[in-house]
Amino acid sequence: MTVKLQMLGTGSAFAKNYFNNNALLMGSGYTLLIDCGITAPLAMHELGRSFEEVEATLITHLHADHVGGFEELALTLRHTTGRKMTLLLPEALVDPLWEHTLMCGLYQKGIITSLDDVFHVRPLKPDTMYTLSPEITVRLIRTPHIPGKDSYSLMLNEEVFYSADMTFEPELLTRLVRSGGCRKIYHDCQLEGAGVVHTTLEELKSLTEDIRSRISLMHYGDEKPDYVGKTSGMDFLEQHVVYYL
Ligand SMILES: Nc1ccn([C@@H]2O[C@@H]3COP(=O)(O)O[C@H]3[C@H]2O)c(=O)n1
Ligand SMILES: [Zn+2]
Ligand SMILES: [Zn+2]
């Protein structure tokens, strides 16, 4: 079976017409949820999907549009089947996820006192390939987003680059394509204004055609319809559509 990608959402953090930029990666008998933002529970509901169908979740970084749905995910599973979700995350984010993001909402004295009480935690090292299922491998690549904030893009099956939120890294993208065997790039994209913490459309348009032709844009704002046909050949990833990886 070919691996498929379905975006729960393709929106930027504050988009209102699109759900948060989270994805389902589906192989035979294995579904991975990539990031679980504030809107992920509602997006799953609208797709008629349940977190019960997800084997594992993977976190790129600790912003609410990427991790804000984990409290609901954990408590929903706890109060239904009692199953602990497998949580794959960069090792550097394990303590901050609990201490800065989830402890406040999940803590129950003597019952839930650590991440391990609600998840099967599997810390991942960057630059290391992990086999998640017979059809899916993942490798974390640390990429810049906000100073002092760890953020990790993904190399899927060693041929598809899935960006976390990141600032422009033309050398990385060029290297991945020309010598890293990368045939597809899913990239976050800020359509308007200065990039600062994201890569802008103008920056991506400055890449050479051999790189641009592999790029699909995601994590965009509500102004996206105004930019269709104005992206120098890069297409927009659409939420809820199923793509072959
Ligand atoms: N220094 C910062 C930090 C954050 N932000 C905005 O907050 C959002 C958090 O989620 P995101 O998807 O990383 O996008 C960030 C910026 O919109 C920003 O614009 N500048
Ligand atoms: Zn984001
Ligand atoms: Zn972010």
Side-chain angles (χ1 to χ4, degrees), residues 12-14 61 63-66 145-146 165 190 195-198 219:
S12 63
F14 309 137
H61 70 294
H63 266 148
D65 56 321
H66 301 266
H145 180 27
I146 289 171
D165 298 349
Q190 184 166 319
V196 188
V197 304
H198 289 286
H219 204 293

Side-chain angles (χ1 to χ4, degrees), residues 49-54 70-85 108 112 118:
R49 307 290 298 263
S50 151
F51 290 126
E52 271 303 330
E53 302 166 35
V54 173
F70 274 108
E71 182 177 316
E72 180 170 340
L73 179 153
L75 293 177
T76 301
L77 292 182
R78 188 177 177 84
H79 296 310
T80 53
T81 60
R83 173 180 160 234
K84 286 185 192 177
M85 175 64 76
Q108 292 180 48
I112 303 177
V118 276

Side-chain angles (χ1 to χ4, degrees), residues 60-237:
T60 62
H61 70 294
L62 304 185
H63 266 148
D65 56 321
H66 301 266
V67 293
F70 274 108
E71 182 177 316
E72 180 170 340
L73 179 153
L75 293 177
T76 301
L77 292 182
R78 188 177 177 84
H79 296 310
T80 53
T81 60
R83 173 180 160 234
K84 286 185 192 177
M85 175 64 76
T86 296
L87 186 57
L88 309 165
L89 76 171
E91 57 185 2
L93 299 187
V94 175
D95 290 342
L97 176 67
W98 178 248
E99 290 165 12
H100 301 163
T101 303
L102 292 181
M103 182 170 67
C104 192
L106 289 175
Y107 182 82
Q108 292 180 48
K109 192 175 181 185
I111 299 172
I112 303 177
T113 61
S114 75
L115 214 49
D116 298 300
D117 289 325
V118 276
F119 296 103
H120 286 301
V121 181
R122 191 172 162 199
L124 305 182
K125 295 184 186 304
D127 306 317
T128 304
M129 192 187 83
Y130 293 89
T131 300
L132 306 186
S133 81
E135 296 165 309
I136 298 175
T137 67
V138 66
R139 178 164 57 89
L140 303 179
I141 301 174
R142 192 160 184 260
T143 42
H145 180 27
I146 289 171
K149 183 176 213 40
D150 274 9
S151 185
Y152 298 84
S153 295
L154 311 175
M155 200 67 194
L156 303 171
N157 287 354
E158 292 301 310
E159 55 182 10
V160 175
F161 180 76
Y162 180 102
S163 85
D165 298 349
M166 60 183 279
T167 51
F168 192 39
E169 287 285 289
E171 293 82 12
L172 171 66
L173 299 176
T174 303
R175 189 171 68 248
L176 287 173
V177 167
R178 298 204 179 142
S179 55
C182 178
R183 60 172 174 75
K184 186 73 202 166
I185 296 170
Y186 299 113
H187 211 298
D188 71 316
C189 179
Q190 184 166 319
L191 297 170
E192 293 181 345
V196 188
V197 304
H198 289 286
T199 299
T200 65
L201 175 61
E202 287 308 310
E203 287 170 327
L204 291 171
K205 283 167 76 172
S206 73
L207 294 164
T208 51
E209 205 276 338
D210 62 322
I211 316 287
R212 287 199 317 272
S213 64
R214 291 169 164 81
I215 294 179
S216 294
L217 307 172
M218 60 182 188
H219 204 293
Y220 43 76
D222 289 333
E223 63 277 19
K224 176 254 193 181
D226 300 336
Y227 286 84
V228 173
K230 300 175 184 172
T231 59
S232 295
M234 296 175 284
D235 62 6
F236 285 99
L237 211 51

